[in-house]
């Protein structure tokens, strides 16, 4: 039986597929390749190119592969873009997502691991953030993920669709084969590395007067390989008959923007000029997870998510792929 992975040519999806195959799992990927990369998927893995909301395509995949579960990554993820074009995000992440999940139920696929986000919490009232913290997203991207979480909860009750919703904090790092190559790129670590490569003249830092030790925002970074392993553990939890639930994926420790820049300087030996900008509206001073629930229920604990390991792995991947993935 096969696991359907949507968004399997994307950043976290490609690493999860890599880890699944290493465990001997049968995998089939559904991806429209709008934001993903064909080169991020082993050519031996079946790839269906299309939209997740294409019911006929999902039915065809189910006919051609005996699907037993799904890991659902496929989504648009840029916060700023979601503010400028919310219809695009609600149409893709919610509209397409509902059609896809309905198709799974029709095909009697009753297990899903869902790629959610810490953005559902919005500006936190407490640090570290627990799964019970107030949920009030500050942007359409966060709302689009929150809507699907609520749908999954309802579908569990009505249709016995068992799910694990994994709320990421800041994914980062790379494996030997697969790394981060978003176009455009909005994440801090790859942009600092682009500055080290000379692709950017300076790294833009948004605000240095936050109530943190060095004045710059603090975020909880987690290695992409640790994230992938969490998805596999969540799927195993559902396979064992575990109940549907929500889990934070983080380390419980945060690093500031300037700490990230300094770590890149130490690893690359590059200067990394800084261009100070005004703070962005809605950026919290700290976003740090309480990951204890995932540790208790899934037996998951990040093993590669110290900042040095994250940045070193990302830099090594950049050195092997200085232009990122090849153009399609």
């Amino acid at each position: 039986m096969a696991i359907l992975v949507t968004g399997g040519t994307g950043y976290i999806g490609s690493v999860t597929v890599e880890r699944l195959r290493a465990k001997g799992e049968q995998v089939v990927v559904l991806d429209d390749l709008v934001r993903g990369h064909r080169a991020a998927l082993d050519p031996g893995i079946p790839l269906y190119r299309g939209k997740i909301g294409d019911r006929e395509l999902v039915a065809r995949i189910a006919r051609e592969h005996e699907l037993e579960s799904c890991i659902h990554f496929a989504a648009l993820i840029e916060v700023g873009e979601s503010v400028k074009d919310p219809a695009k995000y609600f149409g893709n992440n919610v509209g397409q997502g509902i059609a896809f999940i309905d198709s799974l139920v029709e095909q009697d696929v009753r297990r899903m691991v869902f790629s959610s986000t810490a953005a559902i919490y919005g500006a936190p009232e407490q640090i570290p953030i627990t799964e019970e913290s107030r949920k009030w997203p500050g942007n359409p991207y966060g709302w689009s993920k929150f809507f699907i979480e609520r749908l999954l909860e309802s579908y569990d009750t009505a249709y016995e669709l068992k799910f694990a919703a994994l709320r990421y904090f800041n994914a980062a790092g790379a494996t030997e084969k697969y790394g981060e190559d978003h176009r455009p790129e909005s994440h801090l670590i790859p942009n600092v590395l682009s500055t080290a490569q000379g692709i950017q003249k300076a790294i833009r830092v948004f605000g240095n007067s936050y109530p943190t030790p060095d004045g710059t925002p603090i975020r909880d970074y987690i290695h992409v390989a640790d994230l992938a392993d969490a998805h596999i553990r969540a799927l195993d939890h559902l396979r064992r008959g575990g109940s549907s639930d929500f889990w934070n994926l983080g380390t419980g420790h945060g690093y500031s923007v300037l700490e990230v820049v300094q770590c890149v300087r130490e690893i690359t030996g590059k200067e990394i000029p800084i261009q100070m900008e005004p703070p962005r509206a809605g950026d919290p001073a700290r976003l740090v997870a309480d990951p204890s629930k995932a540790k208790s229920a899934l037996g998951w604990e990040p093993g590669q998510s110290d900042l040095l390991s994250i940045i070193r792995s990302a830099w090594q991947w950049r050195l092997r792929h200085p232009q990122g993935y090849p153009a399609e």
Side-chain angles (χ1 to χ4, degrees):
M1 299 184 75
I3 302 165
L4 174 61
V5 178
T6 68
T9 72
Y11 175 41
I12 304 170
S14 63
V15 175
T16 303
V17 169
E18 177 186 29
R19 288 289 200 266
L20 287 167
R21 287 298 297 269
K23 287 173 59 66
E25 299 280 6
Q26 296 299 310
V27 177
V28 56
V29 169
L30 171 58
D31 201 312
D32 62 10
L33 291 176
V34 171
R35 300 287 172 95
H37 305 277
R38 184 62 184 88
L41 185 68
D42 187 293
I45 296 173
L47 169 64
Y48 291 78
R49 185 168 184 172
K51 296 292 186 182
I52 59 172
D54 186 338
R55 292 172 181 261
E56 292 184 4
L57 178 57
V58 175
R60 177 186 159 203
I61 296 170
R63 286 195 305 270
E64 296 179 357
H65 302 269
E66 191 176 359
L67 301 179
E68 57 102 342
S69 57
C70 172
I71 303 180
H72 180 30
F73 292 105
L76 299 173
I77 64 168
E78 298 295 332
V79 169
E81 183 184 47
S82 80
V83 174
K84 293 177 182 177
D85 193 357
K88 181 178 181 179
Y89 274 67
F90 290 125
N92 185 85
N93 295 0
V94 180
Q96 291 271 325
I98 292 171
F100 173 65
I101 296 167
D102 284 348
S103 298
L104 291 183
V105 172
E106 290 170 3
Q107 301 303 322
D108 200 32
V109 179
R110 291 294 199 276
R111 286 190 291 263
M112 172 184 279
V113 179
F114 175 56
S115 168
S116 191
T117 173
I120 68 164
Y121 295 112
E125 296 178 331
Q126 63 185 61
I127 296 291
I129 300 168
T130 72
E131 288 79 1
E132 288 70 42
S133 295
R134 187 191 72 155
K135 297 157 193 71
W136 193 258
N139 52 70
Y141 164 66
W143 279 112
S144 74
K145 291 289 190 175
F146 191 48
F147 288 160
I148 295 297
E149 283 197 4
R150 300 280 68 77
L151 178 142
L152 289 172
E153 203 165 37
S154 299
Y155 277 36
D156 183 6
T157 301
Y159 310 125
E160 296 184 351
L161 173 64
K162 299 301 176 184
F163 69 89
L166 304 181
R167 297 166 177 164
Y168 311 165
F169 280 65
N170 288 58
T175 65
E176 184 175 347
K177 287 185 176 181
Y178 304 120
E180 189 168 10
D181 185 10
H182 297 118
R183 301 175 190 181
E185 182 61 74
S186 62
H187 295 162
L188 175 63
I189 289 175
N191 278 321
V192 181
L193 294 177
S194 289
T195 307
Q197 288 178 288
I199 297 172
Q200 297 179 191
K201 292 183 178 180
I203 182 67
R204 299 166 71 195
V205 175
F206 297 94
N208 62 351
S209 58
Y210 287 91
T212 62
D214 64 21
T216 62
I218 288 173
R219 297 293 182 263
D220 191 338
Y221 294 93
I222 182 164
H223 197 289
V224 63
D226 287 331
L227 278 178
D229 290 342
H231 287 76
I232 295 170
R233 287 178 179 268
L235 178 57
D236 288 343
H237 165 84
L238 297 179
R239 284 169 162 173
R240 293 192 300 268
S243 59
S244 300
D245 214 336
F246 309 88
W247 287 282
N248 287 340
L249 297 183
T251 66
H253 177 77
Y255 299 95
S256 74
V257 173
L258 292 184
E259 285 178 311
V260 169
V261 172
Q262 183 57 32
C263 190
V264 173
R265 286 171 175 157
E266 292 171 2
I267 288 172
T268 66
K270 306 295 184 179
E271 177 59 29
I272 318 293
I274 288 175
Q275 179 179 327
M276 197 60 65
E277 301 275 357
R280 293 178 294 200
D283 262 0
R286 297 174 185 263
L287 288 176
V288 177
D290 177 352
S292 58
K293 184 177 176 182
K295 180 178 180 181
S296 174
L298 305 178
W300 174 81
E301 196 165 7
Q304 304 178 57
S305 293
D306 61 282
L307 190 60
L308 192 66
S309 296
I310 286 172
I311 293 177
R312 183 181 288 122
S313 69
W315 180 240
Q316 289 171 348
W317 189 84
R318 282 291 187 101
L319 293 176
R320 291 190 294 270
H321 306 86
Q323 304 302 319
Y325 290 109
E328 298 300 323

